[in-house]
């Protein structure tokens, strides 16, 4: 792994997020602060979850990893790490032959040909010295995917896309390399390059979008990311709205399969 990054592998875990949290609380993060990271990689999870605590089935054959990154700026800045992780994952898939077919769906999903192939879950944590870290959980459907009715969107796997049979171990090295590069650049230059890269890989920028916020539904055109990573929507009246959290739906365009 990248210099200063501590890698921990476990065959079966409750969740990689829970293991990473426990290790940090025990003072077993990376010895290098703030440039290091702790990586927890598992073959199988028994208690994986997605956004809003939704269960995430985690059988063997897929990639389950949490990268715990120091975040001395505090948890509010940590939101940016979710977007950084998405960009690194899209770039790693590009390196494996998927070119630019992987698209990032706001805030924390990755799509292949309009179906969900990966999810990211950024959460904040504190270590034994009371320092802030961000746990970036990533689950990638390499061999199997949850059935479509188990999530809000259609699902797919990397291996359904005809580029040969991949193992989780094929994806981990390019992902960690891209992520380490991205984190270095983010620390040096801030969110602007992350935001620009996300927009290049972003799904549906310029398209009609519908966002469900509890009881309210907002519609308009997806205008990209705000400076803090919020979703920007231009509403039918031309006003710009920023949304921090919600479930996003892109109506099928004419000509889309």
């Amino acid at each position: 792994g990248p210099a200063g990054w501590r890698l921990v592998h476990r065959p079966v875990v409750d969740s990689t997020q829970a293991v990473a949290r426990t290790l940090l609380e025990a003072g077993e993060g990376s010895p290098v602060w703030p440039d290091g990271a702790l990586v927890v990689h598992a073959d199988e999870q028994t208690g994986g979850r997605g956004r809003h605590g939704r269960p995430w089935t985690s059988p063997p054959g897929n990639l389950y990893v949490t990268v715990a990154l120091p975040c001395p700026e505090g948890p509010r800045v940590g939101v940016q790490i979710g977007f950084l992780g998405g960009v690194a994952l899209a770039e790693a898939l590009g390196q494996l032959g998927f070119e630019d077919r992987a698209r990032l769906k706001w805030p924390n999903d990755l799509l292949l040909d309009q179906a969900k192939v990966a999810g990211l879950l950024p959460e904040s944590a504190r270590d034994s010295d009371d320092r802030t870290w961000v746990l970036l959980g990533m689950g990638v459907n390499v061999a199997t995917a949850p059935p479509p009715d188990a999530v809000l969107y259609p699902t797919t796997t990397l291996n359904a896309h005809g580029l040969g049979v991949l193992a989780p171990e094929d994806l981990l090295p390019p992902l960690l390399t891209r992520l380490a590069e991205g984190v270095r650049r983010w620390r040096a230059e801030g969110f602007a390059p992350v935001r620009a890269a996300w927009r290049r890989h972003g799904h549906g920028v310029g398209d009609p979008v519908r966002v469900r916020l509890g009881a309210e539904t907002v519609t308009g055109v997806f205008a990209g990311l705000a400076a803090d990573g919020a979703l920007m929507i231009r509403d039918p009246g031309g006003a710009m709205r920023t949304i921090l959290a919600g479930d996003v739906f892109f109506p099928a365009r004419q000509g889309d399969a």
Side-chain angles (χ1 to χ4, degrees), residues 2 13 19 31 42 78 93 99 127 136 153 155 189 199 208 221 228 239:
V13 296
V19 172
L93 289 179
E99 304 312 328
D127 67 14
L136 179 64
Y153 316 102
T155 55
E189 299 175 40
R199 190 183 170 94
V221 170
D228 60 356

Side-chain angles (χ1 to χ4, degrees), residues 51-52 54 83 104-109 111 114 116 151-154 198 202-214 216-225 229-233 242-252:
R51 290 176 61 226
H52 309 305
R54 296 179 185 124
F83 297 103
L104 295 167
K105 182 168 168 303
W106 188 90
N108 292 318
D109 287 348
L111 309 180
Q114 315 262 348
K116 178 170 173 171
V151 288
L152 293 169
Y153 316 102
W198 194 97
H203 170 73
V205 179
D207 290 345
V209 66
R210 188 162 54 83
V211 183
R212 207 167 60 196
L213 313 162
E216 187 194 3
T217 297
V218 179
T219 57
V221 170
F222 180 24
L225 294 184
L231 175 82
M232 294 194 297
I233 290 188
T242 58
I243 290 168
L244 290 166
D247 287 317
V248 179
F249 301 90
F250 292 93

Side-chain angles (χ1 to χ4, degrees), residues 13-160:
V13 296
D14 168 34
S15 77
T16 56
Q17 295 285 86
V19 172
R21 197 178 289 280
T22 301
L23 288 171
L24 292 180
E25 287 167 357
E28 295 179 42
S30 162
V32 189
W33 173 279
D35 300 316
L38 166 69
V39 180
V40 177
H41 166 226
D43 302 330
E44 187 178 351
Q45 298 185 125
T46 56
R49 61 202 157 79
R51 290 176 61 226
H52 309 305
R54 296 179 185 124
W56 181 266
T57 42
S58 314
N62 294 336
L63 178 66
Y64 311 109
V65 63
T66 291
V67 180
L69 290 159
C71 196
E73 305 83 0
R76 276 191 59 236
V77 177
V79 173
Q80 300 177 2
I81 288 176
F83 297 103
L84 195 62
V87 168
L89 192 49
E91 289 174 347
L93 289 179
Q95 230 176 299
L96 290 173
F98 292 91
E99 304 312 328
D100 58 357
R101 288 164 63 195
R103 308 300 293 169
L104 295 167
K105 182 168 168 303
W106 188 90
N108 292 318
D109 287 348
L110 188 90
L111 309 180
L112 260 183
D113 300 344
Q114 315 262 348
K116 178 170 173 171
V117 76
L120 299 103
L121 183 67
E123 297 180 313
S124 66
R126 302 189 82 79
D127 67 14
S128 52
D129 293 323
D130 206 34
R131 299 177 299 193
T132 300
W133 295 63
V134 168
L135 307 180
L136 179 64
M138 293 178 273
V140 184
N141 302 333
V142 179
T144 60
D149 61 356
V151 288
L152 293 169
Y153 316 102
T155 55
T156 189
T157 67
L158 295 183
N159 287 348

